[in-house]
Amino acid sequence: MQTNQKLILPKIGCGTWAWGNRLLWGYDESMDNELQNVFSLCVSNGVTLFDTGDSYGTGRLNGRSEMLLGKFSQGYMGAYQDNICIATKLAAYPWRWRAKAMISACAASAQRLGKNVDLVQMHWSTANYFPWQEWGLLDGLADLYEQGKVKGVGLSNYGPKQLKKVYKRFSDRGVPIATLQVQYSLLSTYPVTELGVKEVCDELGIKLIAYSPLALGILTGKYSEKGSYPKGIRGILFKQILPGIRPLLLCLEAVAKSRNKTMSQVAINWCVSKGTIPIPGAKNQVQAQENIGALGWELDSGEVAELDKAAASTGKKMVQNIFQTQ
């Protein structure tokens, strides 16, 4: 018998993928207190969805991202504590082939969290390279829901064609798909404007989660062609993209000034205006507070139209996730 409790999804969440990346490079335990303060600040302001993955904090860190989230959620006492939703994505590793592999993976995540996973998600589809691997893993997610071990099941990086196939398979078992994650921002409208995933999600009753709503930080306004760039691959990417998006950044800046908001807050609010749940990353309290400032107000239709026009006319777009399916 199905015993799942209600899955509570707010309008905005915290994308702990940013934590995951930080944990993989240059992490040390001195960061834990700051991350715990970020968590508490978010929850106390009604930001209660936290997204992570079992591949965040791998190797010697042994799932550190999930461990920290579990520690923080259990230690938090205050407003909205009953609404905390921990979402984790299970990786489609090549050695995971059958349903039991995903059941074991979710059990390992639950052990690291110190509680059952609220929302379990397929991290990516293997349809583009090993289509025969995918269905066993998806059956594992459905098993988890049927067994009452998770409150909801979601997908990530699925396009409408593949989404409909999974929806049909799950529907035959009475398993609803709660969420779909895609890369979505003013610099990455492809999943919605070209693939049409939002229309399909609305039709099927699925909430659309927008990851990387600030396009890795390009939409924050902190970087410019003549200024400093981030280190590594991200810096190389920014050098390629920034010269072609000046009109979009200028439009974003103009709307932000007229609203007395930051560019980040406008970019996040734009995602909300499109009916998505954005999950911006936050590595410190300053970033978390800025993200929270995207709540409690709405862009009007004219502002949204201006931003849409500027986004459509940009000469450069954010590189799409290689696992995104049709």
Side-chain angles (χ1 to χ4, degrees), residues 1-15:
M1 179 180 292
Q2 184 53 254
T3 58
N4 296 73
Q5 299 176 353
K6 184 178 180 181
L7 182 68
I8 301 174
L9 294 173
K11 288 186 177 180
I12 188 172
C14 181

Side-chain angles (χ1 to χ4, degrees), residues 48-93:
T48 54
L49 171 64
F50 294 85
D51 178 74
T52 185
D54 68 349
S55 62
Y56 298 164
T58 53
R60 67 178 180 83
L61 296 172
N62 194 28
R64 187 70 174 170
S65 180
E66 290 179 328
M67 292 171 64
L68 287 176
L69 272 179
K71 174 185 174 182
F72 299 161
S73 62
Q74 292 176 60
Y76 176 82
M77 300 291 289
Y80 305 107
Q81 69 182 86
D82 293 335
N83 292 345
I84 294 173
C85 177
I86 306 297
T88 200
K89 300 182 292 294
L90 302 182
Y93 291 132

Side-chain angles (χ1 to χ4, degrees), residues 193-205:
T193 57
E194 295 185 45
L195 292 184
V197 295
K198 184 63 169 62
E199 291 180 6
V200 176
C201 283
D202 289 346
E203 176 188 341
L204 302 179

Side-chain angles (χ1 to χ4, degrees), residues 100-272:
K100 64 181 182 180
M102 294 305 260
I103 294 173
S104 296
C106 190
S109 291
Q111 185 174 16
R112 287 188 289 268
L113 288 168
K115 64 182 289 293
N116 282 349
V117 175
D118 294 313
L119 175 65
V120 65
Q121 305 158 98
M122 183 80 157
H123 202 155
W124 65 83
S125 169
T126 67
N128 289 341
Y129 58 101
F130 283 139
W132 51 85
Q133 178 190 11
E134 183 170 36
W135 295 111
L137 304 185
L138 289 168
D139 285 342
L141 297 191
D143 290 344
L144 287 165
Y145 184 83
E146 289 179 342
Q147 295 167 12
K149 294 179 180 178
V150 298
K151 296 178 183 178
V153 173
L155 305 173
S156 183
N157 297 308
Y158 277 68
K161 293 181 181 179
Q162 198 68 8
L163 174 60
K164 288 179 179 179
K165 293 179 183 178
V166 180
Y167 179 84
K168 174 63 169 61
R169 192 180 185 101
F170 278 17
S171 293
D172 290 343
R173 298 181 57 173
V175 177
I177 298 175
T179 59
L180 169 65
Q181 277 197 44
V182 294
Q183 179 180 311
Y184 185 59
S185 71
L186 281 162
L187 268 181
S188 179
T189 61
Y190 169 76
V192 172
T193 57
E194 295 185 45
L195 292 184
V197 295
K198 184 63 169 62
E199 291 180 6
V200 176
C201 283
D202 289 346
E203 176 188 341
L204 302 179
I206 299 170
K207 295 289 187 180
L208 190 62
I209 295 176
Y211 72 79
S212 198
L214 297 177
L216 300 180
I218 291 182
L219 298 177
T220 64
K222 298 175 182 177
Y223 304 98
S224 65
E225 299 169 62
K226 298 180 180 179
S228 60
Y229 291 92
K231 296 180 179 179
I233 296 176
R234 195 159 66 113
I236 296 173
L237 179 64
F238 281 22
K239 288 179 182 179
Q240 295 175 345
I241 293 178
L242 277 169
I245 66 168
R246 189 179 303 164
L248 172 60
L249 293 179
L250 289 174
C251 181
L252 196 57
E253 182 181 26
V255 174
K257 286 182 177 180
S258 69
R259 282 284 188 165
N260 195 27
K261 301 291 182 181
T262 67
M263 291 171 65
S264 295
Q265 289 165 348
V266 172
I268 294 170
N269 196 279
W270 176 86
C271 289
V272 176

Side-chain angles (χ1 to χ4, degrees), residues 26-38:
Y27 169 78
D28 65 74
E29 293 185 0
S30 65
M31 301 175 185
D32 289 5
N33 288 338
E34 178 66 11
L35 292 175
Q36 185 163 19
N37 291 334
V38 168

